[in-house]
Amino acid sequence: MGQPQPEPLTPLAEDWQRALAVVAHPDDLEFGAAAAVARWTGQGKEVVYCLVTSGEAGIDAITPERARVVREEEQRLSARLVGVETVDFLGLPDGLLEYGVPLRRAITEVIRRHRPDVVITNNFRETWDGAYTLNQADHIATGRAVLDAARDAGNRWIFPEQLTGGVQPWNRVREVWAAASPLARHGVDVTDTFDAGLASLRAHDAYLRGLGDGGFDPEEFLEGISRPAGSRLGVRHGAAFEIFPLGLH
């Protein structure tokens, strides 16, 4: 008997205008989701990036002080390559993120300020493959906090100190989308924007050169993600997402 085939992915809704992507590190979005971002900005949608850390602990051969500058520069370039002009850095400590009220508070403020229809984050399940490939602690903490902050943002009695200078509660986040989740049931065709996503990953040059023995192949890696997702959509390249509906309106 052959191996069971993965279930088809349902196409993501695209009847929205503004998205906020909140992830732990520079490069997190580029490992799979950036091609989808390029598709959406090409449709005229607005996407804003928020990086919780600056990835300063991510390059063994570079001190955190220098790595912070390099990785922020690479992230801004990477974002521009997929049509994203606004990139926020929260400056929290790389590798030491903890799920809890302070992280929820920081992300809630960003959501209230940018007022997105959809919030995008990375997979925050325990593994990447549903079995053995363990996820990283910062990803898990950030994703869980994003999910809560998307609800916190609509409650004026949670973090009310943020409601100054015209900032108001924001309860119109429809859904949170977690890219590359092993429980993904939805996806988007990125065949036409795969190359833009690849360019955005390659923009993280200093980081990629520091991976392992330096032989990391960005194209091979992204192909390994996008082709299986694409086959579940009936297209060449796809990006998969797990959807968390908020049901706030």
Side-chain angles (χ1 to χ4, degrees):
M1 296 179 63
Q3 293 292 321
Q5 295 299 307
E7 66 181 80
L9 295 174
T10 300
L12 284 170
E14 295 186 317
D15 60 339
W16 50 273
Q17 184 57 35
R18 185 180 298 112
L20 170 67
V22 184
V23 293
H25 315 109
D27 79 70
D28 282 354
L29 286 162
E30 286 67 46
F31 278 95
V37 171
R39 171 187 170 97
W40 295 323
T41 59
Q43 295 171 343
K45 302 182 192 304
E46 179 186 357
V47 182
V48 170
Y49 282 3
C50 173
L51 288 303
V52 176
T53 81
S54 296
E56 68 275 8
I59 305 176
D60 184 68
I62 304 178
T63 65
E65 293 76 14
R66 175 59 183 156
R68 178 185 299 276
V69 174
V70 169
R71 300 207 68 195
E72 288 186 2
E73 289 175 350
E74 290 186 342
Q75 182 61 75
R76 290 189 180 97
L77 171 59
S78 175
R80 287 196 296 271
L81 291 172
V82 292
V84 174
E85 296 299 328
T86 301
V87 182
D88 289 348
F89 293 92
L90 300 187
L92 299 183
D94 183 17
L96 301 176
L97 297 180
E98 294 182 294
Y99 170 78
V101 171
L103 187 54
R104 284 170 49 197
R105 178 184 291 112
I107 297 171
T108 296
E109 190 278 330
V110 177
I111 293 172
R112 285 172 167 168
R113 182 155 41 88
H114 290 293
R115 303 165 74 83
D117 305 309
V118 173
V119 176
I120 300 165
T121 191
N122 253 15
N123 171 39
F124 55 96
R125 299 293 183 178
E126 294 295 322
T127 71
W128 287 101
D129 59 359
Y132 305 110
T133 307
L134 292 176
N135 204 346
Q136 196 259 5
D138 282 359
H139 301 154
I140 296 170
T142 297
R144 290 181 59 201
V146 165
L147 194 58
D148 286 337
R151 292 174 292 198
D152 295 338
N155 188 332
R156 70 175 60 255
W157 308 120
I158 297 179
F159 313 131
E161 72 281 1
Q162 296 176 353
L163 303 178
T164 62
V167 175
Q168 294 293 322
W170 182 251
N171 68 350
R172 294 177 181 259
V173 176
R174 302 182 191 178
E175 296 170 331
V176 173
W177 296 352
S181 167
L183 300 182
R185 298 291 181 268
H186 290 74
V188 60
D189 180 0
V190 297
T191 303
D192 292 340
T193 53
F194 176 84
D195 288 345
L198 175 59
S200 74
L201 177 56
R202 284 179 168 155
H204 292 277
D205 179 63
Y207 176 71
L208 296 180
R209 283 188 283 111
L211 286 179
D213 61 3
F216 176 78
D217 184 332
E219 184 169 8
E220 181 181 9
F221 181 89
L222 291 183
E223 288 257 3
I225 296 173
S226 68
R227 284 191 177 276
S231 70
R232 295 173 66 187
L233 282 164
V235 300
R236 183 177 179 85
H237 295 289
F241 294 83
E242 182 177 3
I243 288 184
F244 297 87
L246 298 187
L248 296 178
H249 58 284

